[in-house]
Amino acid sequence: MSRLLIRTPSQTQAVVDNLYNNMEHRIAASPPGLCPVDMAVNFLTLCHAQSCGKCTPCRVGLGHLTKLLRMVLDGEATMDTLELIQRTAQAIVDSADCAIGTNAARLVLAGMEGFHDDYISHIQDHHCIGSLQNPVPCVALCPAGVDIPGYISLIQAGRYEDAVKLIRKDNPFPIACAYICEHPCEARCRRNMVDDPINIRGLKKFAVNQVKDVPNPPVAPATGKKIAVIGGGPGGLSAAYYLALMGHEVTVYEAHKKLGGMLRYGIPNYRFPREQLDRDIENILSIGVKVHTGVKVGRDISFEQLRAENDCLYIAIGAQTDKKTGMEGENSNGVISAVEMLGNIGDDAMPDFTGKRVVVIGGGNVAMDVTRSAIRLGAEKVSCVYRRRQSDMTALKEEVEGALAEGVELLTLQSPVRIESDADGNAVALWTQPQVIGEYGAGFRPRPKKADLPENRIEADLIVLAIGQGVETTGFEQSGITIHRGGTIEAHEDSKLPVGEGIFAGGDCVTGPATAIRAIAAGKVAAANIDEYLGFKHVISADVDVPIPQFNNKPPHGRINLQEREASERKKDFKCIECEMTCQEAKIESGRCLRCDYYGYGNFRGGRKEEW
């Protein structure tokens, strides 16, 4: 008999592995409309079955926790049950010997915090709150609620102009989002259950570049109402666009020389060419939106004067001020912020980094924009310092991979300690402390802690801080508007209530730094609520007929990803790095859509909102 054997998976194990794989795909494609309590119960049951049973928290605790959650689902729980669930889950987190029990209990705790109202509704009303009702995952996860299956079907039919019209119903920046949107809509695409999610952003980019001038909907009759929008970024211009369509007289006040906000002053040309941004802005202004650039409210014109001259104000200032680290040597010469550097590039004032050693501190998309821009500006060496692991970086995966391909040195698990400067006050090096990953904190993010290793010295001629942005609220405190300690304006979470009499606010100045699509969504919501505040109820629609899907099979087919120019070539200039789909590729990719808006639950619940 052989001493050792090569073990091959049995048929039983193959079936089990298949079931787990199938479950993973279903979880990845689950729509936000599912009951969060029900999902927690099923996940707990799965984890309990996986437990080795050696420790009591897993063997007994997970089973007891599952029973308590089933009581909530069955309408047998009380408010005391919620407290017991929380205590039980926390005890498992604190005492379980392995990640199975710890992660399962953490999921319950996170769900109780994030879906607290759903738990209360189950106990008091014996049913789910129904707050997450949209049956189409991609639409539900788009902050602006864009009709994604609708415009994908229009692309499939070759009706590109209608596709852009349909996008503009909810998002007046179709070109901008086609280039730089973080596409949260793809996260839960049900195509995950078959192969890979639809390349939604890639299809949108294909559509917007097939047409030039797409006419806007007709402007409603003039209402005689005047509205001032403070901030000419994506949020402010979105609100201005919809308010102007509703017949109101809108004037935008922007502190910079040009409109666009962080779309212009925070995103380099190689990701989003300025001429493409200008196409979106020109379309918005074409319906009669007035603009005053180079005007800072609180300096060039008072907040009180604007309020007196208008029926309503919408504050949509973005997060365009830099944040400090507070570490030693931060004020040395050669230490700049990412906001300053990208702002200069946005104004076409290109700095010269020829031959310099550049060190960037940060791990988000802005940090990647800075590192990749530094390479294009002639830097001899570019290093990016981050205190967590590469997998923990908040930047998009493709941005990190693109930076590495272009020659960026990524120094992870290094926490900046101080900046060394010479006798003339010029920065010469960054000192960092090696880190190790400790426990996971809020939002399941790992907490780095100091490693028992000596500090590292990283030589640098220029150090760029890309650790986040702040909101400039100077001039608003005197107007009676409440400013939080973090520098954001106090406003109702859904923008239904004004922050003052006739004063609304939204976007970065309320939530803190966020994505462009979230600012656009805030502008859309503000426009609807300002219109209602003024006594109107105008309707925005696209008047586009969406094709009925064909009853054909959708077999597995690989996702068509957008290609990029060769790294050795693209890093030499600021030309757009991303290539487009061909007509054939767009036809194939749009044909992969399962049309959740039409089939199954989407059809039963009505998966399309044709107006708002």
Side-chain angles (χ1 to χ4, degrees):
M1 183 176 177
S2 301
R3 182 179 176 188
L4 295 177
L5 296 174
I6 296 175
R7 298 188 179 275
T8 57
S10 66
Q11 184 177 3
T12 304
Q13 185 60 42
V15 171
V16 171
D17 290 343
N18 222 13
L19 287 172
Y20 274 114
N21 196 35
N22 189 37
M23 179 115 185
E24 287 174 2
H25 279 105
R26 288 183 178 276
I27 291 174
S30 62
L34 292 180
C35 172
V37 185
D38 194 24
M39 284 190 69
V41 168
N42 284 285
F43 186 74
L44 275 176
T45 304
L46 175 65
C47 291
H48 195 200
Q50 287 181 314
S51 171
C52 66
K54 290 182 179 179
C55 71
T56 304
C58 278
R59 185 179 69 253
V60 178
L62 291 182
H64 185 59
L65 195 55
T66 304
K67 290 179 182 178
L68 291 173
L69 286 174
R70 287 197 184 280
M71 289 174 62
V72 174
L73 278 178
D74 296 338
E76 300 172 357
T78 65
M79 295 303 294
D80 292 335
T81 310
L82 279 189
E83 186 180 348
L84 181 58
I85 291 173
Q86 189 166 14
R87 291 206 311 268
T88 304
Q90 189 61 55
I92 296 172
V93 170
D94 295 337
S95 58
D97 288 340
C98 71
I100 293 176
T102 302
N103 289 337
R106 273 185 176 150
L107 179 135
V108 173
L109 290 174
M112 290 185 70
E113 180 180 352
F115 302 101
H116 184 71
D117 291 342
D118 292 85
Y119 279 82
I120 298 297
S121 180
H122 273 291
I123 292 172
Q124 295 180 348
D125 304 324
H126 307 303
H127 61 73
C128 195
I129 195 172
S131 59
L132 305 175
Q133 291 184 348
N134 198 322
V136 183
C138 57
V139 179
L141 287 170
C142 174
V146 175
D147 186 352
I148 294 167
Y151 77 70
I152 287 179
S153 68
L154 290 166
I155 293 172
Q156 171 73 8
R159 295 165 54 190
Y160 309 126
E161 184 173 303
D162 283 343
V164 174
K165 284 182 180 179
L166 189 60
I167 296 169
R168 278 190 189 154
K169 175 177 72 70
D170 301 287
N171 176 4
F173 282 93
I175 302 174
C177 287
Y179 277 82
I180 54 88
C181 185
E182 293 187 327
H183 46 81
C185 50
E186 296 181 16
R188 294 293 180 88
C189 175
R190 285 200 181 111
R191 188 75 197 194
N192 267 311
M193 290 189 283
V194 181
D195 36 50
D196 294 303
I198 306 294
N199 191 343
I200 297 173
R201 186 182 68 81
L203 286 171
K204 183 187 297 181
K205 184 179 180 183
F206 171 79
V208 298
N209 286 329
Q210 298 306 304
V211 293
K212 289 188 177 180
D213 299 320
V214 179
N216 288 302
V219 176
T223 62
K225 300 293 184 180
K226 297 178 64 178
I227 300 159
V229 175
I230 303 173
L237 289 176
S238 295
Y241 174 77
Y242 292 119
L243 288 167
L245 282 181
M246 295 170 182
H248 306 302
E249 182 181 333
V250 186
T251 305
V252 176
Y253 295 84
E254 169 57 44
H256 283 98
K257 293 185 292 185
K258 295 181 180 180
L259 296 172
M262 293 304 285
L263 292 177
R264 184 181 300 276
Y265 295 102
I267 299 175
N269 217 46
Y270 68 83
R271 282 185 61 203
F272 185 28
R274 299 286 176 270
E275 59 270 19
Q276 300 288 13
L277 172 61
D278 291 336
R279 285 176 58 194
D280 271 338
I281 294 175
E282 286 168 8
N283 177 75
I284 292 171
L285 301 185
S286 68
I287 58 174
V289 176
K290 300 177 182 178
V291 173
H292 295 295
T293 55
V295 176
K296 185 176 177 63
V297 176
R299 180 192 66 192
D300 303 310
I301 187 171
S302 70
F303 187 87
E304 290 74 16
Q305 181 181 345
L306 281 183
R307 182 67 193 92
E309 294 175 353
N310 295 274
D311 297 288
C312 257
L313 296 184
Y314 179 52
I315 306 171
I317 50 178
Q320 298 186 32
T321 62
D322 56 306
K323 283 188 175 181
K324 302 292 185 182
T325 63
M327 65 179 168
E328 179 186 339
E330 188 175 23
N331 296 322
S332 304
N333 299 326
V335 180
I336 63 173
S337 71
V339 173
E340 177 186 350
M341 175 180 163
L342 295 176
N344 289 334
I345 293 174
D347 274 331
D348 295 323
M350 297 292 189
D352 185 7
F353 291 171
T354 303
K356 292 186 177 181
R357 296 163 297 179
V358 180
V359 175
V360 181
I361 301 174
N365 285 322
V366 173
M368 293 301 101
D369 287 340
V370 168
T371 57
R372 300 177 77 175
S373 294
I375 289 175
R376 287 161 172 77
L377 293 169
E380 177 186 321
K381 180 182 179 182
V382 181
S383 304
C384 182
V385 175
Y386 185 57
R387 66 194 185 107
R388 292 185 174 90
R389 300 164 298 189
Q390 180 178 336
S391 59
D392 302 320
M393 297 178 76
T394 57
L396 291 174
K397 182 181 178 181
E398 54 264 35
E399 286 296 314
V400 179
E401 292 173 349
L404 291 172
E406 291 169 7
V408 171
E409 180 185 38
L410 188 58
L411 304 175
T412 57
L413 291 172
Q414 299 290 328
S415 180
V417 176
R418 65 184 181 278
I419 295 172
E420 178 187 338
S421 55
D422 60 18
D424 297 324
N426 300 314
V428 295
L430 173 70
W431 286 85
T432 64
Q433 173 63 53
Q435 304 286 297
V436 294
I437 293 299
E439 296 180 354
Y440 282 71
F444 299 99
R445 293 215 70 199
R447 291 175 176 168
K449 60 181 182 180
K450 181 179 177 180
D452 189 18
L453 293 168
E455 294 180 355
N456 292 325
R457 183 178 186 271
I458 306 169
E459 294 185 348
D461 302 307
L462 185 72
I463 297 174
V464 186
L465 306 178
I467 58 170
Q469 298 101 256
V471 181
E472 177 59 66
T473 54
T474 305
F476 294 99
E477 299 95 330
Q478 298 84 354
S479 307
I481 296 175
T482 303
I483 307 295
H484 290 300
R485 186 177 180 182
T488 56
I489 295 173
E490 183 177 280
H492 197 268
E493 60 181 2
D494 58 6
S495 300
K496 287 182 179 177
L497 300 177
V499 297
E501 187 60 37
I503 305 170
F504 292 74
D508 289 358
C509 64
V510 172
T511 63
T515 57
I517 187 61
R518 293 196 176 277
I520 291 166
K524 170 186 169 182
V525 170
N529 295 324
I530 290 172
D531 183 62
E532 191 170 332
Y533 175 85
L534 294 173
F536 302 90
K537 200 170 182 66
H538 290 95
V539 172
I540 301 294
S541 62
D543 299 324
V544 173
D545 294 326
V546 175
I548 296 175
Q550 299 176 353
F551 293 92
N552 56 355
N553 188 26
K554 304 284 184 179
H557 188 290
R559 170 186 165 106
I560 295 177
N561 291 310
L562 298 182
Q563 301 300 310
E564 294 184 346
R565 294 161 56 205
E566 287 291 335
S568 59
E569 292 297 322
R570 71 185 188 229
K571 69 180 184 180
K572 298 176 182 178
D573 56 50
F574 277 86
K575 295 177 182 178
C576 188
I577 64 174
E578 200 173 55
C579 306
E580 296 179 22
M581 289 184 184
T582 64
C583 288
Q584 183 182 8
E585 288 175 332
K587 187 81 172 176
I588 294 171
E589 187 65 12
S590 58
R592 294 176 62 233
C593 180
L594 298 176
R595 292 300 301 271
C596 303
D597 59 318
Y598 188 85
Y599 290 118
Y601 197 50
N603 189 38
F604 179 71
R605 290 289 296 273
R608 170 164 294 103
K609 290 186 178 179
E610 297 183 353
E611 59 184 35
W612 57 271

